[in-house]
Amino acid sequence: MKNSQIYIVLIGVMLLWGVNVSALKVLVDHFAPITITAVRIFTAASMVFIILFFMKKIRLPQREEWGLVIGGAFTSVVAHHYFLSDGLAKTSAANGGLILGLGPLLTAVLSVIILKEKLTIWRLSGFLLGGIGVGFTVLAGSGGLGQVSIGDMEILLAILSQVFSFIIIKKASEKMDARLLTGYMLLIGSLFLLLIALWKEPNGITSLCTGSVSIWLIFLFSALFATAIGHMVYNSMIQKIGAAGASIFLNLNTFFSLIGAGLFLGEKLLPAHFIGLIFIVLGVSLGSGALEYYVRSMRKMGTEDKGVE
C-alpha cells in the first residue's frame, strides 16, 4: 500500500471515530457508561473474530506474544476507557480535550525513546502545530480552561495508557498480525471492563433494557464500524508506518468530532474551529511526513529535469 493510500485510509478512520464521539454521547446518556462500554467492546471483538474467521487469520497467540496481548488489552481498552469515562465526568471539556490532544506528541516522544523511530524537525513541527490546532478547536466554545482537578489527572492517565498501547501494538505487530492482535485486545479488555462495571454499576445490566430501536442501531454503528473495523484498520496502519506516524492523524479526530456534534447533536460550530482545522491539517501534513515527501519529490524531479537539459 502506497503512503498516499495509507493517509487516505487513516483520514477515513478519523472521520469514523469523530462521528463515533456523538454516538458514544448518546449511548452513555441512555445506559450505564462502563456497562455499555464493556458490551460495545465485546460486540466489536466478536465482529473482529468473525472477519478474521473468513480471512483464515485466527490462531492462538504464542507464549511470548501473550504478554504483549494482555498488556495491549489493559492499556488500550481497560485503562484508557475506564479513566476516560470517569475523568470526563470530573473535569471540563476544554481541559479534557487539550490533555487528549497531547497524545500524538507523547506517542512521538515515546516512539523515539522506546522504538528508536526517527523524528525529523519537519515531523516534530507537525506534532506541535497539530497540538495548537487541537487547542483552538477545544477552547473555541469553552470559554477557557477550568481549574486542574482529579479528573484532569485521570484524563492524563487515559491518554498515557493509550500512548503506551500504541507502542505495544507496534512491538507486537512485528510477530503477530495487527488485526488478530486487535481482536484479542478487545475481547480480553471487554471482559475486564465488564467485571469493573458489575462492581461500580450494580444496575448496569438492567439499564440495557431501556434502549429503543434507534439507540441500538447507534450502538451497532459504534461497535461494528467505529470500534471493530476502525481499530482493525488503525492498528494495521501502526504496523505499516509506525506508532508516531499513525498517531498524528488523531488530531483530525478532534475536528471531525466537532463536525459530528454539530450535525447530529446540534452543537454550534465557530470560526475558531476552522482556524484550528488549518493548524491540524498543517500538523498532519508535516507530522505524517507527507509534505516532506512531496517537497523531496519535487526537488528530485527538478534535478532530473535539469539533467535532461
Side-chain angles (χ1 to χ4, degrees), residues 12-25 27 36-49 51-52 76-78 80-81 84 162 166 169 178-190 193 217-236 253:
V13 172
M14 293 306 109
L15 176 59
L16 194 63
W17 285 357
V19 174
N20 189 47
V21 172
S22 296
L24 293 179
K25 173 64 176 173
L27 292 176
I36 194 62
T37 299
V39 175
R40 175 175 59 85
I41 295 175
F42 180 81
T43 304
S46 302
M47 178 65 173
V48 170
F49 278 109
I51 294 172
L52 291 173
S76 179
V77 181
V78 181
H80 175 68
H81 285 280
L84 183 62
Q162 186 181 51
F166 294 155
I169 290 167
R179 294 164 295 187
L180 180 61
L181 174 66
T182 301
Y184 280 115
M185 285 167 48
L186 292 174
L187 178 61
I188 295 170
S190 67
L193 274 177
L217 287 175
I218 292 172
F219 169 86
L220 289 175
F221 160 78
S222 178
L224 302 183
F225 292 96
T227 305
I229 296 176
H231 281 278
M232 281 184 73
V233 172
Y234 184 80
N235 291 343
S236 295
N253 192 13

Side-chain angles (χ1 to χ4, degrees), residues 67 122 139 156 203 235:
W122 286 67
L139 291 175
L156 182 59
N203 298 320
N235 291 343

Side-chain angles (χ1 to χ4, degrees), residues 1-227:
M1 184 180 287
K2 297 179 180 179
N3 282 352
S4 59
Q5 294 174 321
I6 291 174
Y7 300 152
I8 291 172
V9 168
L10 282 169
I11 291 171
V13 172
M14 293 306 109
L15 176 59
L16 194 63
W17 285 357
V19 174
N20 189 47
V21 172
S22 296
L24 293 179
K25 173 64 176 173
V26 173
L27 292 176
V28 298
D29 283 347
H30 281 81
F31 303 111
I34 301 176
T35 301
I36 194 62
T37 299
V39 175
R40 175 175 59 85
I41 295 175
F42 180 81
T43 304
S46 302
M47 178 65 173
V48 170
F49 278 109
I50 289 172
I51 294 172
L52 291 173
F53 173 79
F54 286 104
M55 295 175 67
K56 298 181 179 179
K57 293 286 186 180
I58 297 178
R59 67 169 176 84
L60 286 173
Q62 297 176 4
R63 182 179 300 177
E64 63 273 15
E65 294 171 338
W66 272 113
L68 293 171
V69 169
I70 294 173
F74 271 93
T75 53
S76 179
V77 181
V78 181
H80 175 68
H81 285 280
Y82 174 79
F83 286 121
L84 183 62
S85 60
D86 202 52
L88 285 175
K90 300 175 183 177
T91 188
S92 67
N95 285 34
L98 285 175
I99 295 169
L100 290 174
L102 292 172
L105 185 58
L106 291 173
T107 304
V109 172
L110 288 178
S111 296
V112 171
I113 296 173
I114 299 175
L115 300 178
K116 308 301 180 184
E117 291 187 9
K118 292 182 179 180
L119 187 63
T120 64
I121 295 297
W122 286 67
R123 298 188 72 182
L124 179 59
S125 300
F127 282 100
L128 294 174
L129 284 173
I132 292 172
V134 170
F136 262 104
T137 56
V138 172
L139 291 175
S142 66
L145 287 170
Q147 295 181 344
V148 177
S149 67
I150 186 64
D152 295 327
M153 297 304 297
E154 288 188 296
I155 297 296
L156 182 59
L157 289 173
I159 193 60
L160 280 173
S161 62
Q162 186 181 51
V163 167
F164 275 108
S165 77
F166 294 155
I167 305 299
I168 292 172
I169 290 167
K170 176 58 180 174
K171 200 74 176 175
S173 64
E174 295 173 0
K175 298 181 179 180
M176 187 177 188
D177 190 301
R179 294 164 295 187
L180 180 61
L181 174 66
T182 301
Y184 280 115
M185 285 167 48
L186 292 174
L187 178 61
I188 295 170
S190 67
L191 295 177
F192 276 97
L193 274 177
L194 184 59
L195 291 176
I196 295 173
L198 292 173
W199 168 49
K200 296 204 69 175
E201 299 171 348
N203 298 320
I205 299 298
T206 305
S207 73
L208 300 180
C209 301
T210 62
S212 62
V213 173
S214 60
I215 295 297
W216 283 110
L217 287 175
I218 292 172
F219 169 86
L220 289 175
F221 160 78
S222 178
L224 302 183
F225 292 96
T227 305

